[in-house]
Amino acid sequence: MVNGSSNTSSTPPQLPPPAPTTITSKTPPPLPQLSEEQKVEIKEAFELFDTDKDDALDIHGLKFAMKALGFDEKKPELLRILRQHDKNEEGVIAFEDFFKVMAERVVNRSPIEEIHRAFQLFDDDNTGKISLHNLKRVAKELGENLDEDELQAMIDEFDLDEDGESILFYLLMNLHCFKVYISFTNFIT
C-alpha cells in the first residue's frame, strides 16, 4: 500500500503503440551532383570505347574508358565492377550502370589529383615541367593549329626560372583551342 491506496488492478501496464514502419523503396540513392561538363565527360568516355555501339563496355572498354576519366584500375577492380553490374552475365556493363559508377568516382576525385593528372598528360617525358615539345605534341593530338610562337608565349607566361619550360602552367582557351586549366602550384621539381 502506497500513500494509503492499494493497487489491486490485474491489468498489465499499457505499452505505447509501435512506431509506424516505413516501407523502404528499392529506388537507388540519388546520383551525386555532377556538372554538365562532368556528365558530358563520362558520356564521351563511354562512347569512345563502345566501339561496336551496343551501349555496353566489355572489360577492355571499361578499363580504357575509366582510364580516360583518370581512373587507372587494376583487373580485379574492373572484374568486381563488371560482376556487380552485369545483369545478363554477358561480361559487359551498360551505359546507365557505367554512368552511376563513374558519377560517384568523378564527384569524389580530388582537385589536386585532377591537376596532377592533367599535368601528366602534358609531361609525357616526366621532367616535371612542360616544354615547347610537350605543348606541340598535345596541340597536334588535339588537332589544334597553333603556331610555335603562340605555344612559346603560353610557356613564357609562367616560366619563372627562365629555362624555357614552365612549372606553373595556365591554359584557358575557348572551344577552338585547348580546354585545359592547369594551375600547378605545389608541383616543384
Side-chain angles (χ1 to χ4, degrees), residues 116 119-129 134 187 189:
H116 183 68
F119 189 88
Q120 287 178 319
L121 292 175
F122 286 86
D123 183 25
D124 65 336
D125 50 6
N126 295 315
T127 63
K129 296 184 178 187
N134 298 134
F187 192 83
T189 56

Side-chain angles (χ1 to χ4, degrees), residues 13 25 30 43 92 95 100 108 116 127 136 158-159 176 183:
S25 142
K43 184 176 185 282
V92 297
F95 173 72
K100 289 175 190 173
N108 292 321
H116 183 68
T127 63
K136 279 183 186 179
F158 294 97
D159 184 8
H176 301 291
S183 175

